[in-house]
């Protein structure tokens, strides 16, 4: 057990997980003195029939004040303001957010307005702008990836000013995260693999980057072994309830880990590839994860080696000599990507050059890598990466990830 | 009852004085480096018009403000962040945290990792500010100390290590 | 690999900050909870040892005023609660900093119940889950030692008993400056209590991943550091005074305080285990520290449950020995190895403490006659459970493993 010279950890969210966890929501809200929740979700969730499952589970115990199922994938201030009005008109007293990152962020924004009053979100952006508890917020994740059910950040766009505004406060944390296997049971295969790889990245980076701490280490190891033990199983048997619950739980554990320990260069580059070329976040994560580990190995090889235990199990760990474990960790992740590539019939890419859009065209043209590297320099996750990265380093990693070849150790400049 | 008392802890005049001097000098060194060092100059040029940032300790601890004027010239603007509209504000959670930073017991990266430093304002701009401060630290500090303060000590040309270094320090002292 | 239960829950509303200059974060952390005038509740020892001064120093430049009450005693004192209730309200305090352990923290929590609502709440909200609203901000600043329940959600105060998530502190600030030199043997009961809470949290066939995360840390810190701390300090005592504060020593202490605090989080999320209940009952009927009694019966309790219910608890070994040695140990040997580790810990402590720390109930001076009474008190009317308790106690009496 490593104890850093200084660390902080906080995750105030109550975790309720299981195959029938949704049915607990009325009682959980009751304990928070709420009786009339507003459900916030998006069309995709409603279309997949998940909203009906949630409404069905809530109906018996509680009156649903309002249902808003039209959160767009790029939610903004306008949507937040509109939903806050609905909440007030329908006299709601709590929010149940059902969905992925965008729904969670929107719900957090709505919660600021309905708790603090007014319609000026910008007044609550700075550090420490929120000073008191907000209305009860229950988060029901439907993607098993982002971990936003346990994160204290909400990013909401102001489309008029073309800005993405981050809100950060412990008060933005949902009160309860309800993890129910039914919510991810029908997730399409590629989404399952993308989101699981995002969660895996959260756990791996939380464990290997600068702000690691004992609690996030424990959560991260648990998350990694759940993903490693269940992802391929679920890809082959999508209706595996236990496997789905394991992946969803892993995503939440990884969310707890990285929201305290933050993430490093895999996210630095991933955010940038996503922003410049509109590639799904999970896809970037899957492709870039081995490179993050390779690049930092001279700094955190010890930690990276320990991950082999969670990734490959105790037998492989025991028979791999200490000094080869970190490399074996990278190899296991590459092997996992290869397995996912095969099980999805090539729709899970192994390198940036293989990423294609819905039209089948290549999504990340090689010529845009310099631009991606430049944008990556402005991503705050770079602070938490063990080794320094300048524009040349970022480009070097991107080039390798584009082709799908391991990093050349001679080109890694060691600080 | 003699079990109860109220105390109002005082200030830390000497720590404050030390930090004020350090921040004053670093602020002037940023100004000097923006004129002497090509990389810092380019970083500043890429930042928005009249870009201004502050490094400060909460609550109302020692501070420094640096910004570009109307013509794009980089200037140390003093120690009152309240007087300027800021694009980026780097805040150390307490004066002690700033003291750890300026006694080189914690780097900016470590302070961030330990939740002692938080950033307000645009993140890409904040990243640029940290890169600038890293370069300035290399100019100001002897190599063994600078190595504690930054993740990777840069490999610079000889001229940058000697002539530019001397000039940055000289310009910081005379304020030009 | 671990399998998940069909349903599990977990909550830890506490923010933990541990390490270098943690105290200096207090003003900002309180501000974030909208608190500006904290009342420190502590005991005379904290004042005498300069701990209160250290906190006051950490508040320099914050512009805040602190209240300090250092009259907390070892026993539940309702007059102190009343006194503090008026003090808090009359002087406009808006948060409590509980500095200390055991009874001191309990006093602070009871005062917080009263000042957060109405004094009648003290009577009204007793028992399990009797509190229904969050209380005013409460930070715990641990010192070494204690009950390992300081950070849990349980308070026993004279005749009053409360158990609620709302009694878990909002903030735990662990600072090496608060963990000062004292008799190293005082660390042992705390660490053993923490270990018991953590190990017993594993006594389910399918683990709650969050409970087990915190339990692993508790177990790991205790096994990594307890013996070294006791050994080093005992050796140093003989080597005259220490010249400088060894940082590694502090780090071990810091880890043990972390363990106690995480054991509190585990305790708040799990029902009270059999070893904990047996330990308390033994403590009531003999002179042995109930925390030590818990640890002495702990391996037997685990063995008896594994034998009777056929559970696989081999994963317990992992935090005790680390990934390497866990992976090197074949699965079928792991549980027995874990139990041997616990017994080994006590045997070593027995030697280091010159027999002040007992290995068996017999060492502890418990009489054979008392065993039956303890078994009866804990098991109640259920004959199967009474038989189990007797088996455990008889084996713990001589330190014998409960064979399959
Ligand atoms: Fe991510």
């Amino acid at each position: 057990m490593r104890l850093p010279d200084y660390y902080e950890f906080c995750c105030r969210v109550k975790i309720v997980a299981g195959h029938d966890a949704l049915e607990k929501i009325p009682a959980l809200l009751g304990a928070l003195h709420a009786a009339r929740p507003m459900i916030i979700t998006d069309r995709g969730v409603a279309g997949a029939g998940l909203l009906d499952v949630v409404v069905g589970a809530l109906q018996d115990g509680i009156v649903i004040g309002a249902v808003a199922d039209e959160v767009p994938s790029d939610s903004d201030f306008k949507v937040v303001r509109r939903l806050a009005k609905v909440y007030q008109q329908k006299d709601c007293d709590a929010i149940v957010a059902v969905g992925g990152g965008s729904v969670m962020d929107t719900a957090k924004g709505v919660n600021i307005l309905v708790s603090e009053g007014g319609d000026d979100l910008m007044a609550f952006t700075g550090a420490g702008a929120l000073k008191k508890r907000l209305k009860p917020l229950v988060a029901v994740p439907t993607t098993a990836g982002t971990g936003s059910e346990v994160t204290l950040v909400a990013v909401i766009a102001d489309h008029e000013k073309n800005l993405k505004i981050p809100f950060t406060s412990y008060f933005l944390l949902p009160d309860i995260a309800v993890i129910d296997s039914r919510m991810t049971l029908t997730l399409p295969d590629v989404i399952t693999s993308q989101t699981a790889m995002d969660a895996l990245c959260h756990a791996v980076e939380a464990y290997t980057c600068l702000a690691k701490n004992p609690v996030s280490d424990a959560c991260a190891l648990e998350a990694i072994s759940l993903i490693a033990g269940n992802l391929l199983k679920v890809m082959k048997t999508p209706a595996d309830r236990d496997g789905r619950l394991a992946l969803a739980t892993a995503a939440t554990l990884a969310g707890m880990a990285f929201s305290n320990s933050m993430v490093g260069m895999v996210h630095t580059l991933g955010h940038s590839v996503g922003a410049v070329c509109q590639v799904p976040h999970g896809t970037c994560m899957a492709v870039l994860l081995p490179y993050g580990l390779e690049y930092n190995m001279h700094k955190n090889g010890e930690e990276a080696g320990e991950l082999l235990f969670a990734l490959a199990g105790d037998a492989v760990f025991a028979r791999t000599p200490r000094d080869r474990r970190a490399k074996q960790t990278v190899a296991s992740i590459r092997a996992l990507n290869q397995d996912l590539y095969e099980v999805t019939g090539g729709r899970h890419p192994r390198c940036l050059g293989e990423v294609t859009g819905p039209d089948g065209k290549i999504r990340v043209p090689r010529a845009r890598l310099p631009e991606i590297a430049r944008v990556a320099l402005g991503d705050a996750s770079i602070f938490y990466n063990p080794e320094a990265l300048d524009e040349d380093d970022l480009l070097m990693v991107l080039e390798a990830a584009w082709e799908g070849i391991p990093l050349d150790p001679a080109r890694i400049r060691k600080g | 009852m003699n079990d109860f008392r109220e105390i109002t802890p005082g200030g830390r005049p000497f720590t404050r004085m030390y930090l004020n001097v350090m921040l004053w000098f670093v602020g002037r060194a940023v100004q000097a480096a923006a004129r002497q060092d090509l990389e810092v100059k380019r970083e500043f040029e890429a930042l928005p018009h009249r870009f201004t940032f502050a490094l400060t300790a909460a609550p109302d601890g020692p501070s420094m403000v640096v910004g570009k004027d109307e013509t794009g010239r980089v200037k140390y603007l003093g120690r009152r962040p309240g007087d300027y509209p800021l694009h980026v504000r780097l805040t150390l959670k307490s004066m002690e945290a700033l003291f750890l930073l300026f006694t080189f017991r914690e780097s900016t990266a470590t302070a961030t990792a330990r939740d002692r430093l938080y950033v307000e304002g645009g993140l890409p701009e904040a990243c640029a500010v940290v890169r600038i401060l890293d370069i300035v630290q290399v100019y100001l500090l002897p190599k063994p100390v600078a190595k504690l303060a930054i993740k990777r000590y840069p490999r610079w040309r000889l001229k940058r290590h000697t002539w530019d270094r001397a000039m940055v320090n000289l310009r910081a002292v005379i304020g030009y | 690999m671990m399998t998940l239960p069909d349903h599990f829950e977990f909550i830890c509303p506490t923010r933990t900050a541990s390490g270098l200059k943690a105290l200096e974060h207090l003003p900002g952390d309180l501000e974030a909870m909208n608190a500006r005038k904290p009342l420190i509740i502590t005991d005379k020892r904290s004042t005498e040892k300069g701990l209160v001064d250290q906190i006051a120093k950490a508040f320099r430049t914050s512009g805040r005023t602190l209240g300090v009450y250092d009259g907390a005693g070892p026993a539940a004192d309702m007059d102190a609660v009343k006194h503090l209730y008026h003090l808090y309200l009359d002087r406009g305090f808006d948060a409590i900093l509980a500095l200390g352990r055991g009874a001191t923290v309990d006093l602070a929590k009871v005062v917080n119940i009263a000042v957060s609502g109405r004094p009648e709440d003290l009577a009204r909200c007793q028992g399990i889950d009797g509190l229904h609203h969050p209380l005013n901000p409460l930070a715990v600043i641990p010192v070494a030692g204690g009950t390992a329940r300081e950070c849990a959600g349980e308070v026993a105060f004279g005749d009053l008993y409360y158990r609620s998530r709302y009694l878990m502190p909002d903030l735990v600030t662990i600072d090496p400056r608060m963990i000062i030199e004292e008799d190293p043997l005082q660390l042992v009961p705390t660490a053993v209590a923490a270990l018991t809470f953590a190990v017993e949290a594993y006594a389910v066939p399918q683990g709650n991943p969050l409970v087990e995360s915190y339990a692993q840390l508790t177990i790991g810190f205790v096994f990594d550091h307890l013996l070294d701390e006791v050994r080093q300090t005992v050796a140093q005592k003989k080597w005259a005074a220490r010249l400088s504060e060894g940082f590694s020593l502090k780090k071990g202490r810091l880890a043990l305080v972390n363990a106690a605090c995480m054991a509190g989080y585990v305790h708040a999320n799990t029902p009270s285990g059999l070893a904990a209940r047996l330990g308390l009952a033994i403590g009531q009927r003999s002179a042995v520290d109930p925390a030590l009694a818990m640890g002495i019966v702990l391996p037997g309790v685990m063995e008896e449950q594994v034998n009777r219910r056929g559970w696989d608890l081999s994963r317990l070994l992992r935090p005790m020995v680390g990934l390497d040695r866990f992976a090197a140990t074949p699965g079928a040997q792991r549980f027995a190895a874990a139990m041997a580790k616990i017994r080994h810990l006590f045997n070593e402590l027995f030697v280091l403490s010159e027999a002040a720390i007992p290995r068996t109930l017999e060492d502890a001076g418990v009489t054979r006659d008392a065993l039956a009474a303890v078994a009866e008190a804990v098991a109640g009317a259920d004959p199967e459970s009474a038989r189990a308790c007797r088996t455990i106690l008889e084996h713990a009496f001589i330190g014998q493993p409960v064979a399959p």
Side-chain angles (χ1 to χ4, degrees):
Chain A
M1 306 285 149
R2 286 192 192 82
L3 183 66
D5 287 348
Y6 182 82
Y7 81 89
E8 291 182 10
F9 188 91
C10 177
C11 182
R12 298 206 168 111
V13 183
K14 176 169 186 156
I15 309 294
V16 178
H19 295 305
D20 307 300
L22 290 171
E23 275 74 7
K24 306 261 174 189
I25 293 178
L28 292 165
L29 283 172
L32 296 170
H33 313 286
R36 228 179 123 78
M38 170 179 188
I39 299 180
I40 296 181
T41 186
D42 62 32
R43 287 270 153 77
V45 171
L50 301 180
L51 180 56
D52 295 338
V53 178
V54 175
V55 169
L58 262 65
Q59 242 166 9
D60 290 341
I62 211 162
V63 180
I64 296 169
V67 177
D69 63 0
E70 67 274 39
V71 174
S73 61
D74 58 339
S75 181
D76 70 348
F77 279 28
K78 263 198 215 146
V79 178
V80 169
R81 278 197 291 265
R82 196 182 61 219
L83 295 186
K85 278 222 179 71
V86 174
Y87 178 104
Q88 276 145 352
Q89 278 161 4
K90 300 281 180 166
D91 217 10
C92 299
D93 57 10
I95 298 172
V96 176
V98 186
S102 178
V103 167
M104 294 301 161
D105 285 357
T106 308
K108 288 172 187 170
V110 172
N111 204 13
I112 296 177
L113 289 187
V114 299
S115 307
E116 294 282 344
D119 63 357
D120 179 20
L121 264 183
M122 282 308 284
F124 303 101
T125 49
L130 291 168
K131 290 274 185 207
K132 58 180 191 355
R133 278 172 226 278
L134 307 181
K135 301 282 181 197
L137 171 61
V138 177
V140 184
T142 57
T143 53
T146 62
S148 41
E149 66 277 8
V150 286
T151 60
L152 41 83
V153 199
V155 181
I156 302 171
D158 185 342
H159 283 147
E160 283 157 20
K161 296 193 186 124
N162 205 7
L163 287 173
K164 278 190 172 177
I165 312 288
F167 295 82
T168 312
S169 165
Y170 278 113
F171 296 110
L172 285 179
L173 279 171
D175 295 278
I176 305 164
V178 176
I179 322 292
D180 191 303
S181 55
R182 285 169 288 177
M183 293 292 100
T184 49
L185 213 52
T186 54
L187 219 54
D189 61 351
V190 173
I191 310 281
T192 303
S193 68
Q194 282 170 2
T195 49
M197 289 307 282
D198 184 22
L200 183 67
C201 267
H202 294 156
V204 169
E205 294 213 283
Y207 197 86
T208 53
C209 290
L210 292 180
K212 74 197 254 75
N213 70 63
V215 189
S216 68
D217 285 354
C219 293
L221 273 189
E222 218 66 81
I224 294 169
S225 63
L226 286 171
I227 293 169
N230 289 281
L231 178 53
L232 281 171
K233 223 170 66 183
V234 168
M235 293 297 286
K236 288 173 189 153
T237 324
D240 175 359
R241 283 192 333 152
D242 290 333
R244 290 287 187 184
L245 182 61
L247 291 182
T249 302
T252 303
L253 286 165
M256 296 172 86
F258 96 87
S259 61
N260 281 280
S261 292
M262 312 309 282
V263 285
M265 65 179 281
V266 179
H267 275 79
T268 311
L269 287 166
H271 288 151
S272 172
V273 174
V276 176
C277 300
Q278 287 78 48
V279 179
H281 180 63
T283 303
C284 304
M285 293 299 104
V287 169
L288 292 164
L289 180 55
Y291 295 95
L293 288 167
E294 279 180 335
Y295 187 83
N296 290 308
M297 203 175 282
H298 58 283
K299 295 244 167 168
N300 62 12
E302 175 90 24
E303 288 86 347
E306 286 161 7
L307 296 181
L308 185 64
F309 179 91
L311 274 168
D314 51 0
V316 173
F317 186 79
R319 79 172 97 88
T320 311
R322 242 190 140 84
D323 55 346
R324 261 188 266 151
R325 283 181 185 153
K327 286 192 180 124
Q328 199 54 44
T329 296
V330 176
S332 322
I333 292 170
R334 289 218 163 95
L336 180 60
N337 272 333
Q338 179 66 32
D339 288 341
L340 291 170
Y341 175 83
E342 280 160 23
V343 86
T344 57
R347 284 171 300 141
H348 178 95
R350 296 162 301 183
C351 58
L352 289 179
E354 275 179 3
V355 180
T356 50
D359 51 4
K361 278 198 196 125
I362 189 166
R363 211 55 188 274
V364 188
R366 193 162 189 165
R368 300 198 74 176
L369 295 184
E371 183 187 349
I372 296 172
R374 210 157 33 247
V375 173
L377 271 183
D379 196 278
S381 55
I382 205 166
F383 291 149
Y384 298 94
N385 195 64
E387 181 57 276
L389 287 148
D390 63 18
E391 214 173 313
D392 297 339
D393 300 318
L394 291 163
L395 187 59
M396 184 264 291
V397 176
L398 282 168
E399 295 277 1
W402 197 89
E403 285 188 47
I405 49 169
L407 287 184
D408 174 2
R411 296 189 61 194
I412 300 168
R413 289 182 290 161
K414 301 179 173 102
Chain B
M1 262 211 189
N2 62 356
D3 287 338
F4 176 76
R5 61 191 191 275
E6 266 190 19
I7 33 183
T8 307
R12 304 177 64 179
F14 293 106
T15 313
R16 191 179 278 269
M17 216 148 59
Y18 170 80
L19 289 171
N20 275 329
V21 171
M22 291 295 273
L23 284 167
W24 170 82
F25 195 75
V26 170
R28 306 231 307 186
V30 173
Q31 170 185 311
R35 292 164 199 184
Q36 187 71 36
D37 183 272
L38 219 75
E39 201 180 337
V40 175
K41 191 183 260 176
R42 258 192 250 123
E43 290 281 10
F44 267 111
E45 276 163 9
L47 288 165
H49 178 64
R50 301 212 71 155
F51 176 82
T52 312
F53 76 89
L55 177 63
T56 168
D60 57 61
S63 309
M64 71 167 198
V65 189
V66 174
K68 295 202 283 187
D69 67 9
E70 194 53 45
T71 62
R73 229 175 132 73
V74 177
K75 275 195 167 144
Y76 168 65
L77 297 172
R79 46 190 176 119
R80 293 153 63 103
D83 294 353
Y84 302 90
L86 296 174
H87 292 79
V88 166
R89 187 189 183 106
L90 306 177
T91 309
L92 276 301
K93 255 193 189 168
S94 64
M95 205 158 103
E96 185 65 30
L98 188 64
F99 191 59
L100 285 173
L101 191 70
F102 276 105
T103 44
F104 314 106
R105 281 178 289 172
E106 278 184 0
S107 62
T108 34
T110 310
T112 314
R114 293 182 179 174
D115 281 336
R116 304 201 211 264
L117 190 160
Y118 57 87
V119 173
E120 289 163 281
L123 290 178
E125 293 83 10
C127 292
V129 168
V130 171
R131 288 196 297 272
I132 292 168
L133 291 175
D134 278 355
I135 297 174
V136 169
Q137 295 196 67
V138 175
Y139 275 125
L140 298 187
L141 301 172
K143 188 169 175 182
V145 183
K147 274 184 146 177
L148 299 176
I150 57 173
K151 284 186 197 163
R152 183 170 71 194
Y153 197 78
R155 269 182 235 152
W156 285 353
R157 290 240 190 88
L158 190 64
K159 178 203 170 243
R160 211 172 165 193
H161 265 309
T162 52
W163 172 251
D164 288 342
R165 178 193 299 268
M167 284 306 286
V168 166
N169 279 278
L170 182 67
R171 290 180 103 158
V173 173
I174 61 175
Y176 170 71
Chain C
M1 202 203 57
M2 179 173 137
T3 47
L4 292 176
D6 284 345
H7 183 89
F8 65 89
E9 301 189 2
F10 183 84
I11 180 154
C12 177
T14 310
R15 172 187 172 89
T16 313
S18 162
L20 182 71
K21 307 285 178 192
L23 286 178
E24 273 76 2
H25 287 240
L26 272 171
D29 288 343
L30 288 171
E31 172 82 37
M33 293 188 278
N34 224 6
R36 289 184 184 79
K37 193 173 175 190
L39 170 63
I40 299 175
I41 296 183
T42 189
D43 40 47
K44 285 282 182 283
R45 173 185 169 274
S46 300
T47 304
E48 283 154 17
K49 303 266 182 188
L51 304 187
V52 174
D53 291 342
Q54 288 281 4
I55 296 179
K57 272 191 187 166
F59 272 78
R60 287 181 305 180
T61 74
S62 71
R64 303 273 181 253
T65 298
L66 294 166
V68 180
Y69 171 85
D70 60 5
D77 176 1
M78 219 44 205
D79 289 335
V81 175
K82 278 181 201 142
H83 174 57
L84 284 164
Y85 170 79
H86 290 295
L87 209 57
Y88 186 104
L89 295 181
D90 296 348
R91 304 232 177 192
F93 290 108
D94 53 15
I96 294 176
L97 303 182
L99 166 64
R101 56 195 168 200
T104 304
V105 176
D106 282 348
L107 171 67
K109 288 182 175 177
V110 171
V111 172
N112 206 27
I113 295 172
V115 297
S116 301
R118 273 175 281 165
E120 302 90 270
D121 289 349
L122 286 180
R124 207 165 48 91
C125 300
Q126 289 182 74
I128 292 166
D129 285 335
L131 290 161
H132 300 293
H133 292 276
L135 306 181
N136 291 359
L138 170 77
V140 169
I141 304 171
V143 297
T147 57
R149 284 187 296 115
E150 286 82 0
C151 302
E154 189 184 55
V155 174
F157 192 78
D159 297 334
L160 300 170
Y161 176 83
Y162 311 89
R163 190 173 169 131
S164 161
R165 58 166 280 198
Y166 295 121
L167 286 169
M168 295 177 79
D170 298 286
L171 178 68
V172 173
T173 301
I174 305 171
D175 190 300
R177 287 167 288 178
M178 299 292 104
I179 300 158
I180 46 170
E181 215 29 55
E182 56 190 304
D183 183 3
L185 295 185
Q186 279 197 15
L187 302 170
V188 177
T190 315
V192 170
L195 182 68
T196 307
F197 297 152
V199 169
E200 289 211 274
Y202 273 83
V204 281
Q206 286 159 322
N208 174 331
L210 285 153
V211 166
E212 291 200 357
S213 289
Y214 280 106
Q216 276 170 22
L217 294 171
T218 307
I219 297 169
F221 285 141
V222 169
F223 275 94
D224 285 355
H225 297 288
L226 180 59
L227 284 178
D228 278 349
E229 283 306 305
V230 174
R231 201 174 288 135
Q232 284 184 43
T233 330
V234 168
Q236 266 151 4
K237 267 207 305 207
K238 289 173 185 163
W239 275 88
R242 263 190 308 160
L243 286 175
S244 63
E245 285 235 320
F247 190 72
S248 62
L249 187 76
K250 270 277 162 88
K251 198 131 182 189
R253 294 264 161 125
L254 207 59
L256 290 176
V257 175
N258 267 275
C261 137
M262 287 168 189
Y265 306 154
V266 170
H267 183 276
N269 279 282
T270 47
S272 188
L274 183 57
R277 283 181 286 139
L278 285 171
L280 286 179
I282 295 167
Q284 282 162 3
R285 284 166 187 78
S286 67
V288 62
D289 185 323
L292 296 177
M294 286 178 197
I296 292 171
V297 299
L298 178 64
V301 166
M302 303 305 284
E303 283 160 348
E304 196 280 329
Q305 297 194 34
V306 163
N307 294 346
R308 190 153 43 103
R309 307 184 201 217
W311 289 339
D312 175 11
L313 300 187
S314 56
R315 60 192 195 280
L316 255 173
L317 181 66
R318 189 175 122 191
M320 294 180 184
V321 297
L323 296 179
D324 263 295
R325 287 178 56 197
F326 175 76
T329 310
Q333 294 174 17
R334 285 176 186 160
F335 179 69
M339 296 304 108
K341 280 291 283 184
I342 300 177
R343 292 198 172 94
H344 173 76
L345 182 72
F346 271 90
N347 298 351
E348 289 290 303
L349 288 168
F350 178 80
V351 174
L352 286 171
S353 68
E354 292 162 17
I357 310 268
R359 301 161 300 182
T360 61
L361 293 180
E362 193 176 21
D363 285 346
V366 181
T367 58
R368 259 195 194 279
D369 301 338
L371 299 185
V374 169
E376 198 183 329
V378 171
D382 176 26
E384 194 197 1
S385 124
R387 209 175 317 120
C389 287
R390 270 199 308 276
T391 309
I392 293 163
L393 291 168
E394 275 156 20
H395 283 75
F397 189 76
I398 51 172
Q400 184 188 21
V402 181

